[in-house]
Amino acid sequence: MAMDLRQIVAALLTLSMFLMLANMIKRDHFDSLQINLPVTSSVENDVIKVTERSLAKLPVVSKSPWKEDLEAAPKPCWSKPEISSGPECHASQIADGVAVARYLGATLVLPNIVAMGSKPRVRRYLGDIYDVEKILNTLDDIVRVTKYQPNEPNKGKLIRVPSRVSGNYIEQNIAPVFRKRGSSRLEIYCPSAQMIDEEKTKHLDSFACLTMFGTLQLQPELQQVVESVVNRLRNFSQKTNGKFVAVDLQKGCLGSAQGARKMCYHAEEVGKFLKKIGFDRDTTIYLTQSQWSSSLDSLGEFFPNTYTKESMLSADKKTKFLNSEISDMEKVIDFYICSQSDVFVPATFGLFYSTVAGMRIASGRNQILVPSQIMTSSVATEYVSPYISEKNHLAYSCCC
C-alpha cells in the first residue's frame, strides 16, 4: 500500500527518537554501572597461632660480634582518641582506640598527637608523622575509621583509657557515655616498660597484633629521611659489609640503678662494651643524639665512625626537624633507625628499648646487645637481650 509523504516523515521521526532513547539508556544505565568487589582482609580470625619454632635462634659462638638475622621476618598471624608521648607509644595507643571502637560498634576518628616537650601543648595531626591512607586501608575490614572530624564535635569531658583496655572497663566507663551522647572523647595512656615486661606471657588478639605491628608507616617525607640516613650509614660501613650499630644513648646518664640493675650507661661505658665484645675500630655507629658534645668524645676515641643526626641530615632537614624546641620528630627518626639497624644497643632501659625490641622481633631483626655492669665474657652472644634469648616479649605472641 502506498504511503504519502506525511507518513514517511512520521516513521523517520519515530525511528530517530527510538535510537536516541536507546543511546541514552545505554549511557545512563549501563555505562555507569560498576561492580565493586569486596576487599579481602589480611586478618583471617582472631586466633593467634604460636609454634615452638624458634624465632630468634642464637648464632654459634664465634669471635666476630656480627651475626646474621633471620632470612625472613616472622609470619604475622594476626570515638576520637588523643594520643601523646613519642613513637614508642603510638602503636599501642591506636590499638586501644581500635579496641574501644570495635567494642562499641563506633567509628574511630583518627587521633591528634600531643607533641612531647611542647609548652603550651602542641597538637599534631596524625598525618604529620604517619601515612594516613595506609592506616585507613589496613584497618578497613576491622573497624570503621575516618580522618575527618564530625560535623558536631563532642565537647564532653575526656575519658581516660588505660593501656591494654579490657571489655569490662569499656562497658563500665566508656559505653554509658557513648550510648548517651552518641560519641566519646578518649585520652589513651601510653604503656610503661614495666607493663610490657609483665605481659611477656600474654597473647594479643590478631586485631591488636595487626594494629601494633602492621598499621603504622611513616609519611613519605619522614620515610625518605630515615631511608636516607640508613643508606648513608651503610655506605660508610664498607669495611663491615654495610652493617652498622645503633645506640640509644640518652643525655644525663649518671649510672642510676634500679635494685641490682643499672638503668643506663654513658658513652665511655658503651665504647668499652662494644670494644670488648669484638667490634673493631672501623665499626659505624649511629647515636640517638641531635648533635655531638664533649660527653661523646670518649666513645668517638674508640669508634671514630660515630654519627649523630646533625652529621647525617641535609641542611633543609636539619632546619625542619632538629632546630626546634619540640623534640618529637627527632624521636621518630631515632625510633625507626634503631628498628632497622643491624645491631641495636640500648644504653638506656625503658619503653623506647622495649618497643624498638618489639618492632625488631616482628621484622626478624634479632641482634639486640645489652651492656652489662659486670662483663665476665667477651663473647657477644652472652649479651643478647633477654627479649630475644628467652623469647619473653609480647611481640612473640603475634608471630608463628
Side-chain angles (χ1 to χ4, degrees):
M1 183 175 64
M3 298 177 63
D4 62 22
L5 182 60
R6 287 175 297 175
Q7 290 176 312
I8 293 172
V9 172
L12 290 173
L13 288 173
T14 301
L15 178 61
S16 176
M17 292 176 63
F18 177 79
L19 291 173
M20 290 174 60
L21 178 61
N23 190 48
M24 290 170 61
I25 293 173
K26 176 179 181 298
R27 286 200 309 269
D28 294 345
H29 295 277
F30 293 97
D31 289 359
S32 62
L33 180 62
Q34 297 180 8
I35 300 174
N36 296 316
L37 298 177
V39 177
T40 302
S41 174
S42 60
V43 180
E44 296 179 355
N45 52 58
D46 59 0
V47 178
I48 301 168
K49 300 177 182 177
V50 181
T51 68
E52 294 299 319
R53 180 177 68 82
S54 173
L55 294 178
K57 294 182 180 179
L58 295 181
V60 178
V61 173
S62 69
K63 294 182 178 180
S64 172
W66 298 106
K67 309 300 175 186
E68 294 299 324
D69 283 317
L70 301 175
E71 292 183 0
K75 184 189 299 182
C77 319
W78 47 62
S79 31
K80 182 181 178 181
E82 181 177 278
I83 60 179
S84 60
S85 301
E88 66 269 37
C89 300
H90 296 160
S92 177
Q93 290 173 308
I94 291 177
D96 285 323
V98 169
V100 172
R102 287 190 71 246
Y103 185 95
L104 298 174
T107 297
L108 177 68
V109 180
L110 290 182
N112 290 323
I113 299 173
V114 178
M116 296 188 307
S118 60
K119 295 180 180 181
R121 300 205 313 178
V122 173
R123 286 177 172 82
R124 291 192 186 278
Y125 171 54
L126 191 68
D128 291 342
I129 297 178
Y130 299 108
D131 186 334
V132 169
E133 295 305 317
K134 161 74 173 174
I135 297 172
L136 295 175
N137 291 335
T138 303
L139 298 180
D140 183 57
D141 291 336
I142 296 176
V143 66
R144 294 190 303 273
V145 186
T146 180
K147 58 185 175 181
Y148 301 109
Q149 297 287 336
N151 294 329
E152 297 180 4
N154 186 338
K155 297 181 180 179
K157 185 178 180 180
L158 280 171
I159 300 175
R160 293 181 175 179
V161 180
S163 183
R164 311 288 191 264
V165 63
S166 67
N168 287 337
Y169 186 93
I170 297 171
E171 183 61 37
Q172 295 175 15
N173 298 278
I174 303 175
V177 177
F178 178 78
R179 290 165 185 153
K180 180 179 179 180
R181 293 178 172 270
S183 63
S184 297
R185 296 176 63 221
L186 311 178
E187 182 177 22
I188 302 175
Y189 280 90
C190 178
S192 64
Q194 181 180 357
M195 175 183 290
I196 292 179
D197 289 342
E198 291 172 351
E199 291 178 328
K200 58 189 177 185
T201 59
K202 182 179 178 180
H203 284 207
L204 294 175
D205 65 43
S206 60
F207 302 111
C209 287
L210 178 64
T211 306
M212 290 181 66
F213 299 112
T215 299
L216 294 185
Q217 178 178 298
L218 294 179
Q219 52 93 340
E221 183 184 14
L222 268 177
Q223 183 66 31
Q224 189 275 330
V225 169
V226 170
E227 290 177 356
S228 174
V229 172
V230 169
N231 289 337
R232 290 191 68 190
L233 289 167
R234 296 202 185 285
N235 289 335
F236 293 160
S237 308
Q238 297 302 314
K239 293 185 178 180
T240 54
N241 297 319
K243 295 182 177 181
F244 72 95
V245 177
V247 178
D248 179 30
L249 186 68
Q250 299 301 315
K251 292 180 179 179
C253 174
L254 301 176
S256 61
Q258 187 177 56
R261 182 187 184 188
K262 190 171 181 178
M263 298 305 295
C264 68
Y265 292 84
H266 53 69
E268 183 177 4
E269 291 173 317
V270 171
K272 290 179 178 179
F273 167 70
L274 292 175
K275 182 179 180 180
K276 184 175 180 64
I277 61 175
F279 287 97
D280 61 38
R281 185 174 174 82
D282 294 321
T283 300
T284 298
I285 297 176
Y286 173 82
L287 296 180
T288 57
Q289 295 285 307
S290 297
Q291 57 190 6
W292 196 268
S293 66
S294 59
S295 64
L296 305 177
D297 289 345
S298 54
L299 177 58
E301 290 175 3
F302 286 111
F303 301 98
N305 298 330
T306 299
Y307 302 95
T308 65
K309 285 183 287 297
E310 184 181 50
S311 56
M312 287 286 100
L313 298 183
S314 61
D316 60 322
K317 301 305 180 187
K318 281 191 283 191
T319 300
K320 184 167 186 177
F321 297 121
L322 300 189
N323 299 339
S324 171
E325 295 180 359
I326 305 173
S327 62
D328 57 332
M329 289 299 195
E330 296 181 40
K331 196 74 173 286
V332 169
I333 293 170
D334 288 336
F335 182 85
Y336 282 89
I337 292 175
C338 289
S339 298
Q340 295 179 34
S341 62
D342 299 281
V343 174
F344 172 53
V345 177
T348 301
F349 300 122
L351 185 60
F352 187 93
Y353 161 39
S354 301
T355 313
V356 168
M359 294 288 287
R360 294 181 66 92
I361 290 167
S363 60
R365 295 182 175 93
N366 57 356
Q367 301 302 309
I368 304 176
L369 303 178
V370 180
S372 175
Q373 194 168 3
I374 302 174
M375 295 190 62
T376 58
S377 172
S378 60
V379 179
T381 52
E382 294 294 321
Y383 303 95
V384 171
S385 167
Y387 287 141
I388 303 295
S389 61
E390 300 173 16
K391 299 194 339 185
N392 65 359
H393 194 287
L394 188 67
Y396 281 112
S397 71
C398 295
C399 302
C400 298

